[in-house]
Amino acid sequence: MVVLKSVRPAISCSSFGFDGDQLVPLHKVSFVNLTLPASLLSVRLSSRNNAKLSLVQATKESSTASTNDSAAVFSGENLHQIATNGKATNIVWHKSSVGKVHRQEVLQQKGCVIWITGLSGSGKSTLACALCQALYSRGKLAYILDGDNVRHGLNRDLSFKAEDRAENIRRIGEVAKLFADAGIICIASVLSPYRKDRYACRSLLPEGDFIEVFMNVPLQICEVRDPKGLYKLARAGKINGFTGIDDPYEPPLNCELELPQKGNNCASPCEMAEIVISYLEEKGYLQA
């Protein structure tokens, strides 16, 4: 519930404000103090006298300027909203005149995130590289966010404890979202063992733009492969909290694509890449 705390008298004004993207004169302005719940993401307000409400500050106690105009809706991406998001205060979302659609027209493709998940040794990075190469050969722009590579820079301050793993995935998800918004096909090759973390990344993107690819390879096969020697170290007790050994991997329940291996039957990286590309073509991501 939004609580109206006080109303200041209207005053004459020779200043200017914004109506959409247009700068317009403000002839009379009044202010109200509102108490907004932290969970409130957007507010719809209307008035019988055609007053327009524009958000001035969005905190628990916010000031709202009212000008004589039609009723308006303001939300978290309002150009002139001063907001609080987590620990970040007094921030404003600045909207560019060049949007995702324009960037996609330049690239002749649609931005999305291909999120490859699976156990260590399941072939995530191998698929990511094969997929990036296949897209490049088709003239499509893609970028790989590899779990190990990201820990060399952006996430080098994070450990492999549960809370740091969650933050690791959150940061990768936010970066992947930016790549997708740029019109780029972002390939995130990340173990990401917990469903809730993968779901949080999915929720950052529009419906359909998060394409989860599950490398469904049994632990026994991954452990035999052991390309980095990590399973051997984990079995020897030299690595604690290793996924699949003493920390769980939660397989996807409703992924877009599942690439399984049963016994010795395993598709080649190029064949698996073509499966993903076929999905992208079917969903229209390889054209603007």
Side-chain angles (χ1 to χ4, degrees):
M1 181 177 69
V2 179
V3 179
L4 178 63
K5 299 188 68 175
S6 63
V7 180
R8 296 185 194 175
I11 59 173
S12 298
C13 180
S14 59
S15 184
F16 289 81
F18 284 89
D19 181 8
D21 292 329
Q22 301 296 318
L23 192 65
V24 296
L26 303 179
H27 301 295
K28 185 168 287 190
V29 178
S30 60
F31 293 87
V32 295
N33 291 332
L34 304 174
T35 298
L36 301 180
S39 61
L40 190 63
L41 298 179
S42 63
V43 180
R44 180 180 293 273
L45 296 168
S46 61
S47 176
R48 292 181 181 177
N49 62 0
N50 293 325
K52 178 179 179 180
L53 296 172
S54 303
L55 189 62
V56 173
Q57 185 174 15
T59 58
K60 289 186 178 179
E61 291 190 11
S62 300
S63 298
T64 300
S66 172
T67 64
N68 292 331
D69 204 336
S70 58
V73 177
F74 51 86
S75 63
E77 291 189 1
N78 187 295
L79 182 60
H80 311 290
Q81 175 176 322
I82 302 175
T84 297
N85 189 356
K87 295 181 180 180
T89 60
N90 300 319
I91 55 175
V92 177
W93 183 273
H94 291 277
K95 187 175 180 180
S96 171
S97 60
V98 179
K100 182 179 181 181
V101 172
H102 304 103
R103 293 186 284 270
Q104 290 178 154
E105 288 176 353
V106 171
L107 295 172
Q108 284 299 295
Q109 64 184 50
K110 292 185 175 70
C112 63
V113 174
I114 301 170
W115 192 277
I116 307 174
T117 179
L119 290 168
S120 178
S122 61
K124 299 183 299 297
S125 296
T126 303
L127 171 59
C129 290
L131 178 58
C132 191
Q133 179 64 47
L135 288 167
Y136 171 76
S137 68
R138 288 167 168 79
K140 302 304 176 184
L141 183 59
Y143 191 87
I144 299 173
L145 291 176
D146 182 85
D148 279 5
N149 291 357
V150 173
R151 283 183 177 274
H152 278 79
L154 177 65
N155 292 349
R156 66 184 178 184
D157 59 325
L158 300 176
S159 72
F160 286 90
K161 295 179 181 179
E163 59 272 20
D164 278 2
R165 281 188 161 187
E167 175 61 15
N168 177 60
I169 299 305
R170 188 195 71 80
R171 292 183 192 178
I172 293 174
E174 290 286 356
V175 173
K177 173 188 173 183
L178 294 177
F179 273 106
D181 188 58
I184 296 170
I185 298 171
C186 181
I187 306 168
S189 170
V190 196
L191 200 157
S192 48
Y194 310 131
R195 290 190 192 106
K196 63 180 180 64
D197 294 334
R198 298 194 301 266
Y199 177 79
C201 293
R202 179 186 289 274
S203 66
L204 294 173
L205 290 120
E207 183 73 25
D209 285 1
F210 185 93
I211 302 161
E212 191 172 25
V213 179
F214 175 33
M215 303 295 289
N216 189 1
V217 181
L219 174 63
Q220 298 90 326
I221 295 177
C222 293
E223 194 166 354
V224 169
R225 292 175 177 174
D226 202 8
K228 304 173 188 176
L230 299 178
Y231 284 103
K232 184 178 180 180
L233 293 174
R235 291 293 187 189
K238 296 181 179 180
I239 298 179
N240 296 320
F242 191 77
T243 301
I245 303 300
D246 55 354
D247 200 70
Y249 176 80
E250 300 171 354
L253 300 177
N254 295 291
C255 59
E256 281 70 21
L257 290 171
E258 180 176 344
L259 302 176
Q261 177 174 344
K262 297 179 180 178
N264 295 322
N265 298 321
C266 180
S268 71
C270 291
E271 290 172 333
M272 290 188 288
E274 289 301 323
I275 293 173
V276 180
I277 286 177
S278 294
Y279 180 90
L280 295 175
E281 288 177 335
E282 177 188 342
K283 299 299 182 180
Y285 285 100
L286 300 188
Q287 58 189 23

